[in-house]
Each structure stands twice: as structure tokens, then as C-alpha cells.
Amino acid sequence: MTPLYLNEIFSNSWWMYLLIGFGFGFILEKAGFGDSRKLAAQFYFTDMRVLKVMMSAIIVTMVLVFFFSSIGLLDFSKVYMNPTFLWPQAVGGFVMGIGFIMGGFCPGTSLVGAATLKIDALVFVLGVLFGVFIFGETVPAFNDFFNSGSYGKYSLFDLFQIDAGIIVLVVFLIGLIAFERAEWGEKKMGYVKSLESKGTTRLVFGLTGFLALLVAVTLFKGQPKPDDRWAWVEPKFGAVEKTRDFHVHPKEVRDLMIDPSVSLRMLDLRKEKDFNLFHIENSQNVSLSDFQSAKSKLIKKMQSAPANRVFILISASDKDATEAWKLLKGIDVLNAYVLDGGINHWLDVFALDKNFASLNSLADLSEDKMKYTFYKTVGSSQFSSYPIDPLHGEHKQEHADYVKKVKLQSKSVAKGGCG
Amino acid sequence: MNKLDRGEHANPYLAGILLGVVLFLAFFLTGGGLGASGAVSRVQIGLLDLIAPLHVDKNFYFAQVAGGDKNPWLDSSIYMLLGTILGGALSGIMSKRLKLEIFKGPQITNNARLIFAFIGGGVMGWGARLARGCTSGQALSGGALLSVGSWVFMLSLFAGGYFLAYFFRNLWLPKNKGGSV
């Protein structure tokens, strides 16, 4: 299935945020979180409400997100995930824990406490306002620390290098164990609970079973792979082999090499042997399989590339390069292009003397093979690997006899509620 | 919703499940999660911008929200903040909990409770900005997406709370229980 991208419809509607906030506040209050005593009780093991509500909310959201992602209705890469800044998060979390036990609220719960006119909550909110003010005034003094341990969008399944479904299962099971322990602990501490109706208990168990089913489906289906993701965008870009909107003429690539406004990366997909015989200067030898796994280092690097980075994919003609381009389009790597006609075309245009290679008329170009036969290994030592005349470095544009295809695109940055 | 009976607190698991559905809908419909401290920070910067706009422009941290022509009030998080307050108030009204009062442990005075609420709020506000999010934005939203930093944050938060709970026991516990924890 194709993602619905409902966020493109609703993310600009103020009433949607109002509605979501409304549900958030209503449930927090209903759960008893407007009462600082209930919140603080978590830290004395007398009422494990905070753990129960938070952990079950995290589990439900996690299961739904990764289930919808696995069946292809939700594009996980388009969901805003807080970037990881390890050290400030660790210290900030610890500091907040201290504030929690002193003040009895966290910022969200203090809002619902204040909404139900609890004076301690109102004073707490004033304290938060003061605290964020002091932070703004003091952060210039420790800005380096504030930005330390930066890992970007970094998830537990990136850390452990395994399928997200396995982490989902583990967190789900840890949650169930934690709930069982919490019930046991409360009984031991002699906390008297209000009687739960049998119906509620049955409903909770029923929903837990349903979640277990979703976890199983998520595990079985797995998260979308680059192939699946290309299928999502195929209606939009499927005709690219005919239109060649993303196939860049060798001369444009040559001009990009000396364009100070772009940071060019050339990725050569040919076999190492062909690459060694001849390649474009500063190009990097990669293989098509690097593009087929969403977890490969190359993909990670490409996804976190700076906004002015342009990738040029190179193969002998351009079949493999186009395949790689499709996979990149699926995972939303912007500014990826294909060297039109590949190295063969490059040599046609730039290797005027061809003193190291000759045309082989028998080569089967449909197989993305070299049509040149090399007399010797030249690597990137020849002028044709970096065909820029040092005396005429500024020769671009004046006589650009090709159609320019490269247009720098930048991502629209998704925002989070707590940023 | 007969499970959320009037006047009582909801079953915590059921409340958690519903909260999880709301958080999922936030991701599914808006692409982002829940949050509170970000909006509170905007309110603070917005107020400061009314009083001392030049000071806001000079501080890079404030300026990124309200520097120059930027309007700190026009942001989705502000609508979410309003919704949170309205939702909390409605639930409070329905459960007859909307009442001007102070909740505190049995051992301390009202004034002591309010002083600690202010200090705790201040510490928490400062920490929330350092961690780039609060219990809602980091622990809940980031935790559900399995963000490494959010899980580190969550564990640190509970570590901080449990670490100091003993020293602040008189704030919350009755006298006879104070020593036994």
C-alpha cells in the first residue's frame, strides 16, 4: 500500500493541533495527572500510575506507528523524530527528574493541573516560565555542551542494526513485565486501589491481545525496503527513463566539478576492475547492493548530507546508475542525478586523444558494459578524468551546449510539538 | 465511555491506551508528536518580546523564536497548548475536580508546597530546554518512535527522580512512612 501522507493535509490546520491537544489534556486529567500527589507517588512506589499510563501510551503509539509503516500506510521517514543530542538529553533528563520530585509535576501535567485550578500547578507553571527564561539567558555560556553528542535522527533499531519489528516486540514484552511487577509492587506496598470493574479489566486484556496481533504482523511484514519505497513514488517518476529529466550531460557534470555553490559527490557503480582502469577524479567506487539496503552506511550518509550536496550516479552506460537513482528517489534523497550515458558517454565527450583506450564495436550496451577497451590502467591520471583546462577554469556557462538538469532542492523541515 | 466514570480517575492502562491512540493520531495526521514545554517556552519568549524586544533580538536562543519580525505566538504548539488546557478543564468539570485548591503531602504547609512547586517548575523548565523537550515531547513522543536520545532522557529522568526521592520524602509522605522508604 502507498502512504496516505495525511500530514500534508492537516499539518497546517490549527484546529487539528487544538483537537489533539484537547485529547491530550482530557486524558491526562482523567488519568489523575492534575494531582501532584499521584505523580509524586510514582517515586515512592505507592501508586505506579505514571509508569502504567506512560508505558502503555508509548507501547500503543509505537505498535500503531510501526504497524502502519510495515503495511505501507505511514511513511516513517516523514514522521518527526526528536534528534538525539545524547549528553544534554541525559543531563536534562536527570535535572528534570529532580524538578519532578520537588515540584510534583512535569510541564504537560502542570497545564492540566492549572486548568483544574490547582494552585500548586499554577505556581509550577510560573516556575517553568521562569526556568525556560533562565535557560535562554544562560545557554550562550554552555552552547557547546548543548549541542554535544549529536547523532541526528537516531533510533534504537539503527543502534542495534536490526529490524524495527524486533525492537517493537522487545519493548512490548518489557512493558508487560513492568506492568506485572508494578501490580505486584503496589500490592506489597499496601496501596489500596479503587475497585476496577470486571468489564474494564476485560477490555484492557482484549486490547492488549489485539496489540500483540499487530506486533506479530509488524514482525512478519518487516519495514519497507528501498524497492517497496520506489513502488510508492513510481507513478511520479516511473517515466524517467524516457523523459531523462534526471540524466545529466557529461559537460554539466564537468561544470559542477568547479561550481563552488555545490558539493559534488560522484558514485561509480561499476566493478572494481573497470573502475581501476579508468574513473573520474574524486569519484567513489560503490556497488548497486549498497543502495538496496536501507541500513547501509552509504545510504545513511546520503540521507544526512548537507543541503548543497549533489550526487551523480555513474555506471558504464547508465542502466545500473538509473536503478540506483530509483532506489534513492524512494528514500527521498534529493539532488541525486545520473551521468547520462555513463562513463562511455564521458569518454566520447572528453577523451579526445583516446591514447589509452579504443572503441569496441562488439560491446553489448544493453548490459551496461564498457564500450571501450583499455590498453593500460590509467585510473584518474588522465586529463579526461578531470577535464578542466587550468587556464580556462571559468569557461562554464558561456558556451554551455547542453540542457541544464541539476536544480538544488532542499527538504522542508518537519516540526515537532516540543521543539 | 462508561469506563471513564464521573468523578473517578480512569483505569491507568485504559487511559494509557487512549493517550497512545491520541499520540499516534498526532503522528499520523500532523507528522509530529505531542508537546508542552516547547509551547511554554514560546509563551515565555513571547512575553519577553513584549517587554524587551531588543533583548530578545540579541540573545540567539530567544531570537530564533521571536527575533525581528518573527511571531512567537503563531505556532502549532501554541494551539496544542490551548487544547491541552481546554481538555484538562473539561475533564475536570465533568469529574467535578475543577476547584481552587492546593494538593500537597500531609507534612508540609501550603507556603512550603508553593515554594517547592515554583523551584521544581524552574528546575524542570531549565532541564526541559536543555533536553530539547519534556516528558511529553521527549519521553512519550520520542520514546514511541524508539529514538535513542529519548530513551536515554527517560531513564535519566526516572533516575533523577528516584535518586532524590528519599531526600524529599517529607514533601509527599505522611510522617510514619517517611523513614521507611
Side-chain angles (χ1 to χ4, degrees):
Chain A
M1 280 186 263
T2 317
L4 301 171
Y5 296 116
L6 294 174
N7 57 314
E8 284 170 16
I9 304 169
F10 292 115
S11 64
N12 289 315
S13 318
W14 60 270
W15 53 266
M16 180 53 82
Y17 293 96
L18 195 74
L19 217 60
I20 286 167
F22 187 88
F24 180 43
F26 191 94
I27 295 166
L28 283 185
E29 206 288 331
K30 194 74 215 180
F33 287 173
D35 183 343
S36 51
R37 296 167 304 180
K38 295 242 171 230
L39 293 160
Q42 172 69 39
F43 294 100
Y44 299 100
F45 300 100
T46 49
D47 185 347
M48 305 296 272
R49 216 160 241 284
V50 173
L51 173 96
K52 292 180 197 170
V53 174
M54 265 184 72
M55 192 78 192
S56 42
I58 286 174
I59 286 175
V60 168
T61 309
M62 170 190 75
V63 171
L64 289 175
V65 163
F66 289 98
F67 170 74
F68 274 77
S69 168
S70 73
I71 60 169
L73 283 178
L74 177 69
D75 182 352
F76 187 72
S77 70
K78 289 282 160 42
V79 173
Y80 174 82
M81 185 201 279
N82 310 37
T84 291
F85 288 89
L86 207 54
W87 306 120
Q89 277 170 321
V91 175
F94 195 83
V95 168
M96 286 187 81
I98 297 169
F100 205 151
I101 200 65
M102 290 172 83
F105 288 107
C106 62
T109 53
S110 71
L111 292 176
V112 300
T116 52
L117 305 180
K118 307 302 170 235
I119 299 168
D120 48 327
L122 286 160
V123 172
F124 184 95
V125 173
L126 291 178
V128 175
L129 283 169
F130 184 69
V132 296
F133 166 70
I134 295 296
F135 181 81
E137 294 293 333
T138 53
V139 65
F142 52 87
N143 201 37
D144 285 347
F145 177 73
F146 183 49
N147 290 306
S148 63
S150 170
Y151 289 84
K153 192 171 168 173
Y154 190 41
S155 63
L156 290 169
F157 47 91
D158 293 328
L159 175 66
F160 293 112
Q161 297 279 317
I162 47 175
D163 183 65
I166 296 172
I167 306 270
V168 169
L169 175 70
V170 170
V171 173
F172 182 72
L173 293 177
I174 289 176
L176 293 185
I177 294 168
F179 296 147
E180 193 276 325
R181 288 287 89 189
E183 295 298 329
W184 175 84
E186 279 180 355
K187 228 172 253 170
K188 203 164 160 91
M189 291 300 285
Y191 171 70
V192 186
K193 265 190 281 190
S194 57
L195 286 171
E196 298 291 359
S197 73
K198 279 230 171 74
T200 310
T201 312
R202 236 179 268 140
L203 182 65
V204 168
F205 273 101
L207 290 172
T208 309
F210 179 63
L211 285 175
L213 189 72
L214 296 187
V215 171
V217 175
T218 307
L219 256 179
F220 178 73
K221 297 267 305 180
Q223 296 298 304
K225 292 174 186 54
D227 289 350
D228 304 319
R229 301 183 58 96
W230 162 247
W232 298 348
V233 292
E234 199 171 359
K236 205 165 148 198
F237 296 110
V240 67
E241 271 147 301
K242 286 202 195 73
T243 63
R244 306 191 80 77
D245 287 337
F246 293 87
H247 288 69
V248 181
H249 192 273
K251 284 186 180 169
E252 184 172 7
V253 175
R254 187 265 320 266
D255 291 346
L256 287 169
M257 285 169 138
I258 52 168
D259 186 339
S261 66
V262 300
S263 157
L264 193 66
R265 283 283 183 285
M266 291 172 285
L267 303 173
D268 193 324
L269 290 109
R270 293 174 301 154
K271 289 200 180 72
E272 197 180 347
K273 183 188 65 159
D274 287 337
F275 180 82
N276 288 340
L277 281 171
F278 174 85
H279 59 259
I280 300 173
E281 189 158 301
N282 290 327
S283 65
Q284 186 190 344
N285 197 205
V286 296
S287 79
L288 189 56
S289 62
D290 289 331
F291 296 85
Q292 283 155 342
S293 154
K295 294 208 164 54
S296 80
K297 278 204 181 114
L298 181 70
I299 295 288
K300 293 276 168 209
K301 264 191 172 165
M302 293 179 90
Q303 282 175 320
S304 56
N308 69 337
R309 173 86 24 103
V310 171
F311 294 102
I312 303 289
L313 302 163
I314 302 166
S315 59
S317 57
D318 55 28
K319 194 161 153 281
D320 280 359
T322 306
E323 285 309 307
W325 180 87
K326 289 176 178 175
L327 297 172
L328 290 180
K329 223 48 200 172
I331 55 170
D332 215 21
V333 170
L334 298 168
N335 305 323
Y337 295 88
V338 174
L339 174 62
D340 190 21
I343 289 288
N344 286 331
H345 192 194
W346 181 272
L347 288 170
D348 295 344
V349 174
F350 294 120
L352 302 172
D353 47 352
K354 295 190 183 70
N355 62 3
F356 53 88
S358 69
L359 270 173
N360 173 5
S361 51
L362 296 173
D364 180 4
L365 295 184
S366 67
E367 285 295 308
D368 208 356
K369 289 220 172 92
M370 292 301 296
K371 67 176 182 181
Y372 284 88
T373 310
F374 288 82
Y375 313 138
K376 55 182 176 183
T377 298
V378 295
S380 60
S381 64
Q382 299 297 305
F383 174 76
S384 39
S385 285
Y386 189 70
I388 290 156
D389 188 336
L391 297 175
H392 301 92
E394 299 298 317
H395 66 133
K396 55 183 290 198
Q397 261 91 29
E398 299 160 33
H399 51 92
D401 49 357
Y402 54 83
V403 183
K404 271 187 77 116
K405 303 273 180 67
V406 175
K407 286 185 205 89
L408 269 185
Q409 282 183 298
S410 56
K411 267 181 196 164
S412 55
V413 180
K415 284 197 307 172
C418 215
Chain B
M1 276 287 147
N2 66 330
K3 304 299 173 282
L4 301 177
D5 289 327
R6 299 191 62 178
E8 281 174 32
H9 292 310
N11 174 300
Y13 298 112
L14 198 57
I17 291 168
L18 290 175
L19 185 56
V21 171
V22 169
L23 178 53
F24 169 71
L25 288 176
F27 283 127
F28 200 46
L29 299 176
T30 73
L34 295 168
S37 62
V40 175
S41 170
R42 277 184 177 272
V43 169
Q44 175 263 314
I45 296 170
L47 293 175
L48 189 67
D49 198 35
L50 292 177
I51 307 163
L54 287 177
H55 181 68
V56 167
D57 290 346
K58 267 187 226 151
N59 178 307
F60 71 87
Y61 189 78
F62 295 147
Q64 63 189 5
V65 173
D69 297 336
K70 281 188 192 156
N71 184 344
W73 304 99
L74 267 187
D75 190 77
S76 57
S77 65
I78 296 285
Y79 292 109
M80 196 177 285
L81 176 92
L82 289 176
T84 308
I85 293 170
L86 289 175
L90 184 73
S91 167
I93 292 168
M94 285 169 64
S95 311
K96 301 205 171 85
R97 280 197 289 267
L98 192 79
K99 192 178 158 207
L100 201 65
E101 61 190 327
I102 297 176
F103 282 147
K104 62 181 184 65
Q107 287 199 67
I108 59 165
T109 62
N110 281 347
N111 283 341
R113 167 71 186 116
L114 295 184
I115 289 167
F116 275 105
F118 187 83
I119 297 172
V123 169
M124 211 143 194
W126 191 87
R129 295 324 288 161
L130 179 62
R132 293 178 171 79
C134 57
T135 331
S136 335
Q138 281 291 358
L140 275 183
S141 308
L145 299 183
L146 304 176
S147 163
V148 173
S150 295
W151 280 84
V152 168
F153 166 86
M154 201 177 345
L155 296 176
S156 303
L157 188 145
F158 280 99
Y162 279 112
F163 182 66
L164 283 158
Y166 178 78
F167 303 102
F168 289 101
R169 65 191 182 283
N170 291 337
L171 285 184
W172 304 107
L173 298 177
K175 204 158 199 165
N176 58 343
K177 274 200 169 180
S180 68
V181 172

